Amino acid sequence: MEPQRAVLLIADISGYTEYMSTHRMSLAHAEVNTARMLDKMIDAAPGYDLIEIEGDAAFLSRPAGPGGTTSADEATVAEILDVAAWMHSAFHREREYVAKNLCPCSGCKEATNLKLKFVAHVGDVATQTIRQRRKLVGIDVILVHRLLKNPVNIPEYVLMSEELYRLADPGLADKVHEITPDLEGLGQVRAFYLDVHTLEARQPALAAPSWPGRLGRTFSAAGKGMPYILGLRRPRVRTP
């Protein structure tokens, strides 16, 4: 298939390895709770297709221009930052609800230690379908994944490739910081990041969960975690 221009966005949950406790009950609840957070994040990204769940991360994409056009100039940074803000807000709202259920296990109570970071890029991709699963391939797909390993020293951020940052409004320059990571197989590249907390999500304040709501979420985590406890399902792992 002929390559197409696309926006590539990875939302990556930080602290996942430590969160996935070795205790079987905690592990089961951690897996269920992480799935709930990922679901809420994906729902908060209208117009984006979920390409794959990669363990603790969601890999999403959309055509670079409205209506499937291939103009990279129309892939505005402002829109991507809005989506990152909505996803970040949805993640934290669900994370707080998880931590406030009535289950005392570490898989529930330690959810507050999780953070969320984003890597975004615009580039050329091709589509492959293998056993009815759609995958994106190409050097730009590799690049956006390689950028997950970077020297950014704040826990929650949006990191943009140089190609994407070039499309940004010049007024964004005062908010971003430049890094030049040396990526495996790709060499040194320029990238730009900003603190995700500087973005406005425009969502209502989190309502305090009711006791029935907390109880319902507790039973939900217990029920959905049972297949992991029984060994019928295994936790997700990140795709290499």
Side-chain angles (χ1 to χ4, degrees):
M1 182 176 179
E2 183 178 348
Q4 301 289 325
R5 295 290 282 178
V7 173
L8 306 174
L9 180 66
I10 300 177
D12 182 41
I13 298 176
S14 301
Y16 180 80
T17 302
E18 295 80 2
Y19 178 58
M20 298 299 282
S21 164
T22 55
H23 187 280
R24 295 194 77 179
M25 176 63 78
S26 296
L27 178 63
H29 286 195
E31 176 69 13
V32 169
N33 292 334
T34 303
R36 293 176 70 105
M37 294 177 216
L38 287 166
D39 283 341
K40 295 296 183 182
M41 289 157 47
I42 295 163
D43 288 343
Y48 281 74
D49 295 324
L50 174 64
I51 304 303
E52 195 163 5
I53 294 293
E54 301 171 340
D56 53 349
F59 178 32
L60 305 119
S61 178
R62 71 162 175 80
T69 66
T70 59
S71 172
D73 292 336
E74 297 178 56
T76 66
V77 174
E79 181 270 342
I80 295 166
L81 294 181
D82 278 345
V83 168
W86 297 334
M87 294 180 73
H88 181 258
S89 178
F91 165 78
H92 277 277
R93 289 166 66 87
E94 186 61 28
R95 191 194 72 170
E96 292 305 308
Y97 277 132
V98 164
K100 289 178 180 177
N101 75 25
L102 302 177
C103 178
C105 83
S106 60
C108 292
K109 296 309 175 191
E110 293 180 10
T112 53
N113 295 330
L114 297 174
K115 307 294 183 183
L116 186 63
K117 62 187 180 184
F118 299 87
V119 175
H121 176 52
V122 61
D124 296 325
V125 301
T127 303
Q128 283 185 345
T129 302
I130 302 174
R131 295 191 177 185
Q132 300 182 334
R133 293 184 61 187
R134 175 174 171 258
K135 297 180 70 72
L136 297 184
V137 296
I139 192 66
D140 289 297
V141 175
I142 295 172
L143 172 63
V144 75
H145 283 83
R146 291 280 196 271
L147 282 171
L148 285 168
K149 294 185 177 180
N150 60 67
V152 176
N153 58 5
I154 58 175
E156 297 192 307
Y157 56 85
V158 181
L159 178 64
M160 296 172 283
S161 67
E162 181 178 12
E163 290 82 354
L164 181 60
Y165 179 69
R166 286 177 186 159
L167 305 176
D169 187 294
L172 192 63
D174 293 337
K175 298 181 180 180
V176 303
H177 305 273
E178 182 177 348
I179 58 172
T180 53
D182 193 356
L183 306 182
E184 180 184 354
L186 299 174
Q188 192 172 81
V189 301
R190 297 174 69 201
F192 301 82
Y193 73 92
L194 74 164
D195 190 329
V196 72
H197 294 96
T198 65
L199 305 176
E200 183 181 359
R202 301 184 184 90
Q203 289 201 12
L206 181 68
S210 64
W211 277 97
R214 295 175 69 184
L215 188 61
R217 285 173 177 266
T218 304
F219 280 115
S220 176
K224 292 180 179 178
M226 192 58 66
Y228 299 96
I229 295 173
L230 298 176
L232 301 177
R233 294 188 64 181
R234 300 175 66 88
R236 292 182 300 269
V237 295
R238 178 186 287 279
T239 302

